[in-house]
Amino acid sequence: MDKPFAITLDPGSSLANHTGSWRTFRPEYVDRLPPCNVACPAGENIQAWLFHAESGDYEAAWRSLVENNPLPAIMGRVCYHPCEGGCNRQHVDAAVGINSVERFLGDEANKQGWKFAPPAAATGKRVLVVGSGPAGLSAAYHLTRMGHQAVIHEAAPLAGGMMRFGIPKYRLPREVLDAEINRLVEFGVEIQLQTKVDDVQQALQDGFDAVFLGVGAHIAKRAYIPAGDANKVLDAVAVLRGMEDHHAPLLGRKVVVYGGGNTAIDVARTAKRLGAEESIIVYRRTRDKMPAHDFEVEEALQEGISIKWLSTIKEAGESDIMVEKMALDDKGFPQPTGEFERIEADSVVLALGQDADLALLENLPGLIVEGGMIQVDGGMMTGHPGVFAGGDMAGSERTVTVAVGHGKKAARAIDAWLRGAAYAPAEKHEVATIERMNPWYYSDAPKTMRPVLDIIRRQSTFEEVLGGLDENNALFEARRCMSCGNCFECDNCYGVCPDNAVIKLGPGKRFRFNFDYCKGCGICATECPCGAIRMVAEEN
Amino acid sequence: MSFQPVKFYQTGTFTVGNRLLPPEERSVQASARRFNSINSGHRACQGCGEALGARYAIDAAMEAADGQIIAANATGCLEVFSTPYPETSWQIPWIHSLFGNTAAVATGVAAALKVKGKRDVRVVAQGGDGGTTDIGFGCLSGMFERNDDVLYICYDNGGYMNTGVQRSSATPPAARTATTMAVGPEPGNVFGQGKFVPAIAMAHDIPYVATATVADLRDLEAKVSRAMEIRGARYIHILVPCPLGWGTASHDTIRMARLAKETGIFPVFEAEHGEIKSVLTIRRPLPVEEYLRPQKRYAHLFGKNPAVETIAHIQALADRNIRKYRLQARRGS
Ligand SMILES: Cc1cc2nc3c(=O)[nH]c(=O)nc-3n(C[C@H](O)[C@H](O)[C@H](O)COP(=O)(O)OP(=O)(O)OC[C@H]3O[C@@H](n4cnc5c(N)ncnc54)[C@H](O)[C@@H]3O)c2cc1C
Ligand SMILES: Cc1ncc(C[n+]2csc(CCOP(=O)(O)OP(=O)(O)O)c2C)c(N)n1
Ligand code: SF4
Ligand code: SF4
Ligand code: SF4
Ligand SMILES: [Mg+2]
């Protein structure tokens, strides 16, 4: 080549200069665990299904969701959404309305008739599931997915457990419950109704390879209240169960509910809807000590339920009750004051909690029961090999979501047990805390509120109180998700690298570092909105 | 607003790309086929804002001019780290001028293209703040005054970084440099009168003047594209943090630029024919201390006896910017 004056070398490209050798730290793409996922008792991969919802692909979102939880339309109504309590967006404006998007997806699936993907090839193993509450349904679903044959034996005439015989219709319409149970049946879960299991030992000999127990906790706890014969003292579980009969329970015009949990609130609200003029909750401690969720208390108060705090029922007469005022001592425990008051009452409903009926386990050796609860190991197995348990009978935190989570975990452990393997839960990634993220990049977007039924209809009908989001709202809400800890292909790392050392692999394929040129400045890690890049020290 | 920001799409137009936006609404930098006008292997420090800013700007200019760009480049880091003979990182026709005559060299190139009738080939001149606001200032002013068809881009890192961090007329008050040491009764650079070249460019009434930072890519790209739509003299002044000269962590380059904008230290705006057309308002207002504290060149302001008065003085300058350029976000916008 003829070179110009004073030029002796051919032009070269700086690509020959591998600046990667300067690096003392290297960036690494990671998937961190979003705090919402951590907080979900059913172990949903929330960020993953929101990712699909964000692009409007609701079916993919639903499919991703039901990998962990087969009941999104139910969850979207009754779950107390601890996920939202964990959501990082609360540090930016307000938590993502995860629960409302979940409900939207569940309803959409029911509307569109989406079915579960077919199960794995049959293994020939049979598992007995006792009880069709959320724990049993979840266990049976996951077992079926894995190719095992799950057979549910249910004592009641209808499936659903406390979702049908406890939670009132105004919070969970029965069409929704039926739709999700029917999908499970079509999927291959066999449910034998009115089939009470009296003896688990026997069942194990009847050709089942393993048993999952999800019998719930249905025996009402009692408190000793001296009562005249004429007075009606009922228990809350029986009243709510009675709501599923042809004749609604007769409670009278003035109803007193005794207790401070969610059940007490539900009974009081049910009484109001049945026509009670007065529905009063008597609770021995203060509002902040009440186990019921604050929003439920709020909804009850809106509907005209009154609550007597710091009060206990001393005796129940024919048409009234005697209440004693309490005062909190230094330790926060209520103590009697000796001050009494009479309240008119046609009936008293006790909502003091429930115990599990463990009669069916009497002949089973090896079981450990503590505080009325059956003890299980990390894979939900009881002291009797091959017998697993979950839900209300096996845990102190009694919610539909916890029950679903137990069912899933048990199914995985049962699967391992049937294969003669040890159950090893998947390793957890480090948590995507807000400090590991860069929230600057998220658009300002306030939370979408769900519509609420008007107060008149809330006091007189069993119509659903809380409405759902429409498509626009649901999409907006999904897009509020910050995709904590998981790359959402925002191209920031690709754009901000001063050395072009990030290679874009195309939609859905994320990115790769070009370590020939990456100097390890770490801008990509600092500017990744969602914290999906970590800097690690180079070895030498 | 120099461009239409997209709201609510998760990250809207804050991020480089966004899979929820249609491809035509994404940035030039988001494209897998972007030019990478300045390629890998350059010798800029880790986290260099100037290397980044140059790629942002020239890629956008290349996109706007269909790949028909000739650049003249003043001496300075950008030239030294990209083109140690015989290697270069540039993937465009590129001429190294002297330290002080880039504007004149670009003017000459533009004149030659005119003579040859090549209207589609566009000319860019680029240099550091030293090459622009000090030694190259006369050539630059001449280029403006003649309205030569050149886009001049100044990469402002607040000092003569390439020769070891000496003061320039763009070095901010109180900043420590090798020639404004943190010693004596008034440590660091003097407060002086300031010399804000974008305002001087506006005083020439040239068709287009803008400021930008490496923290707002979409804004920067929009300004370069707008400039490329116009013929005549155009000037874009980009704030490019320098980890070496500022004493900041290499990973904080973009964060520092963002803080400069959010505190009001560096006003980001756009002007046509001497009149301001739009400003980038402050999104999350912050005191200047947030910007100063992470920088070692301001370390003498903090420590055991913080220089409260000096910090207040810098705050007053930022507040004046906020007033003067109307940087405060209007409610409801
Ligand atoms: C009024 C009320 C409201 C509630 N509201 C909420 C709420 O809003 N959100 C929430 O998350 N949780 C709520 N809960 C709690 C939630 O319903 C329970 O935690 C959950 O249903 C427990 O699920 P499970 O599967 O363990 O048991 P259950 O749902 O109780 O199901 C157990 C099933 O086993 C059957 N069974 C029992 N013994 C036998 C046997 N021997 N043979 C065959 N079948 C048997 C029962 O008939 C029943 O169907 C509420 C509970 C009540 C009582
Ligand atoms: C006429 C002349 N004087 C001095 C120098 C030495 N010199 C090279 S680069 C430079 C400083 C460049 O500063 P700036 O323009 O701000 O660019 P930066 O390196 O900061 O990007 C100096 C003084 C030179 N090359 N030519
Ligand atoms: S922003 Fe999204 S991923 Fe992050 S915690 Fe909230 S719901 Fe989960
Ligand atoms: S910066 Fe964006 S594209 Fe890169 S890893 Fe993070 S989320 Fe993914
Ligand atoms: S000294 Fe500053 S401008 Fe020069 S290469 Fe290093 S970081 Fe970039
Ligand atoms: Mg400089």
Side-chain angles (χ1 to χ4, degrees):
Chain A
M1 184 179 153
D2 262 352
K3 297 192 176 63
F5 172 71
I7 300 291
T8 52
L9 298 171
D10 286 333
S13 160
S14 63
L15 289 177
N17 185 30
H18 285 190
T19 50
S21 61
W22 304 8
R23 209 170 44 240
T24 53
F25 281 83
R26 78 161 52 209
E28 226 176 58
Y29 286 109
V30 287
D31 282 300
R32 289 185 169 130
L33 190 57
C36 52
N37 297 18
V38 179
C40 173
E44 283 188 22
N45 199 347
I46 295 160
Q47 174 276 328
W49 58 255
L50 280 172
F51 181 83
H52 295 295
E54 284 151 28
S55 60
D57 191 346
Y58 305 119
E59 183 169 347
W62 179 82
R63 293 201 175 281
S64 165
L65 196 168
V66 298
E67 279 173 28
N68 288 296
N69 187 339
L71 310 171
I74 296 172
M75 305 316 299
R77 290 174 164 84
V78 306
C79 180
Y80 298 117
H81 43 74
C83 54
E84 295 184 20
C87 174
N88 272 334
R89 179 113 202 174
Q90 68 190 291
H91 308 296
V92 174
D93 41 31
V96 173
I98 300 169
N99 189 251
S100 50
V101 181
E102 179 163 19
R103 167 170 168 172
F104 171 79
L105 294 176
D107 287 353
E108 200 63 14
N110 289 341
K111 219 190 287 168
Q112 311 286 346
W114 295 330
K115 305 265 174 275
F116 297 130
T123 61
K125 302 280 186 195
R126 295 183 80 219
V127 181
L128 173 65
V129 174
V130 186
S132 65
L137 291 173
S138 164
Y141 165 70
H142 286 284
L143 287 165
T144 307
R145 273 175 54 118
M146 293 183 260
H148 308 303
Q149 191 190 357
V151 182
I152 299 182
H153 285 187
E154 167 57 59
L158 290 168
M162 277 300 184
M163 299 187 294
R164 186 179 303 276
F165 295 106
I167 302 175
K169 286 182 187 141
Y170 60 83
R171 294 204 289 122
L172 178 58
R174 297 306 185 245
E175 313 82 73
V176 175
L177 177 63
D178 290 339
E180 292 201 322
I181 292 179
N182 287 341
R183 184 185 288 112
L184 285 165
V185 172
E186 281 172 39
F187 180 54
V189 172
E190 189 180 327
I191 307 182
Q192 298 179 9
L193 297 171
Q194 289 176 299
T195 310
K196 184 166 182 185
V197 175
D198 298 309
D199 186 347
V200 170
Q201 182 77 303
Q202 184 59 43
L204 271 171
Q205 284 153 20
D206 290 348
F208 287 105
D209 299 295
V211 177
F212 175 77
L213 303 168
V215 298
H218 291 210
I219 308 174
K221 286 192 180 136
R222 307 286 303 192
Y224 177 68
I225 298 174
D229 294 343
N231 194 286
K232 264 170 100 177
V233 179
L234 307 162
D235 79 68
V237 197
V239 169
L240 292 172
R241 191 185 302 127
M243 293 300 298
E244 293 299 307
D245 294 342
H246 293 297
H247 305 287
L250 297 171
L251 299 174
R253 289 185 301 115
K254 303 198 167 171
V255 182
V256 168
V257 180
Y258 195 26
N262 305 318
T263 308
I265 305 270
D266 274 338
V267 174
R269 294 174 75 183
T270 296
K272 190 88 196 173
R273 285 167 170 77
L274 287 174
E277 283 163 19
E278 272 180 44
S279 177
I280 304 170
I281 292 173
V282 174
Y283 177 55
R284 61 197 181 95
R285 301 209 279 180
T286 49
R287 177 161 178 177
D288 51 311
K289 292 270 164 39
M290 219 180 186
H293 294 84
D294 215 44
F295 76 89
E296 289 182 292
V297 176
E298 203 46 56
E299 286 179 0
L301 292 172
Q302 286 165 6
E303 289 168 13
I305 294 5
S306 47
I307 305 182
K308 278 208 162 307
W309 313 103
L310 285 170
S311 308
T312 54
I313 301 184
K314 271 298 168 217
E315 61 178 59
E318 194 167 326
S319 62
D320 61 5
I321 57 164
M322 174 88 87
V323 164
E324 179 171 10
K325 284 209 170 318
M326 310 294 278
L328 293 186
D329 64 17
D330 310 345
K331 293 194 183 95
F333 289 109
Q335 302 296 347
T337 59
E339 263 181 68
F340 294 94
E341 183 192 352
R342 283 199 172 278
I343 302 177
E344 283 182 63
D346 296 323
S347 58
V348 177
V349 184
L350 303 181
L352 303 168
Q354 293 94 244
D355 289 320
D357 180 356
L358 302 177
L360 76 167
L361 302 172
E362 250 153 38
N363 300 328
L364 211 57
L367 291 189
I368 304 164
V369 177
E370 259 171 44
M373 239 122 43
I374 194 135
Q375 302 299 300
V376 291
D377 66 11
M380 310 308 290
M381 187 153 83
T382 67
H384 188 96
V387 176
F388 298 74
D392 282 4
M393 70 183 296
S396 49
E397 206 191 322
R398 290 176 167 178
T399 66
V400 172
T401 328
V402 167
V404 168
H406 283 178
K408 176 176 88 170
K409 197 194 250 185
R412 290 181 178 167
I414 291 171
D415 177 65
W417 194 79
L418 290 176
R419 287 185 284 108
Y423 167 69
E427 247 184 75
K428 293 243 187 291
H429 294 157
E430 86 186 328
V431 176
T433 54
I434 191 79
E435 294 74 29
R436 295 190 163 118
M437 299 176 52
N438 189 339
W440 164 265
Y441 289 101
Y442 299 100
S443 303
D444 306 283
K447 184 168 181 164
T448 325
M449 290 304 166
R450 295 191 241 197
V452 178
L453 191 69
D454 67 77
I455 196 73
I456 302 296
R457 282 193 289 168
R458 277 170 62 181
Q459 288 170 327
S460 52
T461 74
F462 283 84
E463 276 175 60
E464 192 167 15
V465 173
L466 207 54
L469 301 181
D470 63 22
E471 213 246 71
N472 269 335
N473 291 338
L475 186 67
F476 177 90
E477 201 51 36
R479 286 174 172 187
R480 293 183 64 242
C481 173
M482 309 193 292
S483 192
C484 305
N486 292 267
C487 174
F488 59 130
E489 301 191 3
C490 73
D491 292 331
N492 255 17
C493 49
Y494 176 65
V496 302
C497 176
D499 294 279
N500 311 336
V502 177
I503 299 165
K504 181 167 168 159
L505 300 173
K509 301 198 192 107
R510 298 185 173 183
F511 305 82
R512 194 159 58 75
F513 290 109
N514 183 346
F515 288 112
D516 282 349
Y517 301 108
C518 164
K519 293 172 184 159
C521 69
I523 296 183
C524 55
T526 301
E527 301 305 325
C528 172
C530 70
I533 302 175
R534 171 170 62 198
M535 297 304 292
V536 285
E538 287 285 2
E539 302 268 293
N540 39 33
Chain B
M1 199 44 72
S2 55
F3 69 112
Q4 189 55 48
V6 175
K7 287 183 183 159
F8 302 147
Y9 283 72
Q10 196 164 37
T11 54
T13 34
F14 289 115
T15 42
V16 169
N18 184 334
R19 68 184 178 104
L20 303 175
L21 294 180
E24 66 275 11
E25 282 183 33
R26 298 182 197 174
S27 70
V28 173
Q29 286 302 311
S31 164
R33 292 188 320 273
R34 71 180 183 213
F35 290 91
N36 280 339
S37 306
I38 171 165
N39 211 349
S40 308
H42 60 68
R43 288 151 164 86
C45 304
Q46 291 164 321
C48 174
E50 189 163 89
L52 183 60
R55 194 189 73 227
Y56 282 180
I58 304 299
D59 276 2
M62 286 286 278
E63 180 73 29
D66 260 339
Q68 300 282 50
I69 295 277
I70 296 177
N73 202 135
T75 309
C77 274
L78 183 61
E79 165 266 320
V80 171
F81 71 59
S82 67
T83 316
Y85 174 72
E87 267 173 26
T88 185
S89 308
W90 292 100
Q91 312 210 66
I92 56 169
W94 180 91
I95 305 167
H96 174 202
S97 70
L98 294 176
F99 188 25
N101 69 351
T102 313
V105 168
T107 294
V109 175
L113 290 169
K114 194 173 170 193
V115 169
K116 294 182 115 184
K118 292 196 172 174
R119 262 185 74 82
D120 52 333
V121 183
R122 312 291 306 273
V123 183
V124 172
Q126 47 182 358
D129 51 294
T132 305
T133 74
D134 290 345
I135 190 170
F137 190 63
C139 294
L140 182 68
S141 178
M143 182 202 112
F144 288 163
E145 179 269 328
R146 294 185 303 269
N147 201 25
D148 294 329
D149 188 17
V150 173
L151 167 61
Y152 191 104
I153 301 174
C154 169
Y155 301 102
D156 176 7
N157 54 17
Y160 289 18
M161 299 314 184
N162 187 60
T163 40
V165 194
Q166 293 86 13
R167 172 196 185 277
S168 81
S169 56
T171 300
R176 180 204 67 195
T177 68
T179 46
T180 57
M181 308 277 266
V183 293
E186 284 177 30
N189 192 26
V190 293
F191 272 79
Q193 290 303 301
K195 180 174 180 184
F196 191 49
V197 170
I200 303 174
M202 281 170 66
H204 290 75
D205 281 353
I206 55 173
Y208 190 76
V209 174
T211 64
T213 81
V214 285
D216 284 286
L217 170 68
R218 303 299 295 258
D219 172 72
L220 190 159
E221 287 189 349
K223 284 170 175 166
V224 173
S225 328
R226 175 78 191 108
M228 294 303 290
E229 287 167 7
I230 301 170
R231 296 277 169 174
R234 291 142 288 146
Y235 180 73
I236 300 183
H237 189 102
I238 305 177
L239 184 73
V240 291
C242 163
L244 182 91
W246 296 18
T248 47
S250 63
H251 57 78
D252 271 343
T253 298
I254 290 182
R255 186 169 84 96
M256 293 319 302
R258 181 178 303 131
L259 286 169
K261 181 228 153 194
E262 292 296 284
T263 53
I265 290 268
F266 186 80
V268 181
F269 62 89
E270 173 176 59
E272 289 183 18
H273 300 289
E275 278 176 44
I276 292 198
K277 289 293 176 199
S278 77
V279 299
L280 219 53
T281 52
I282 291 169
R283 186 172 174 226
R284 311 246 187 271
L286 288 168
V288 293
E289 208 181 311
E290 300 279 327
Y291 167 73
L292 302 174
R293 197 181 275 280
Q295 305 184 42
K296 289 209 190 73
R297 63 175 172 160
Y298 295 116
H300 55 279
L301 301 183
F302 300 98
K304 264 203 212 104
N305 300 310
V308 186
E309 275 176 33
T310 312
I311 297 170
H313 196 163
I314 298 172
Q315 182 66 57
L317 294 177
D319 291 345
R320 197 185 65 152
N321 277 343
I322 294 171
R323 271 197 315 276
K324 188 169 168 187
Y325 294 99
R326 299 171 196 274
L327 303 179
Q328 212 149 26
R330 281 169 297 278
R331 276 178 173 279
S333 71

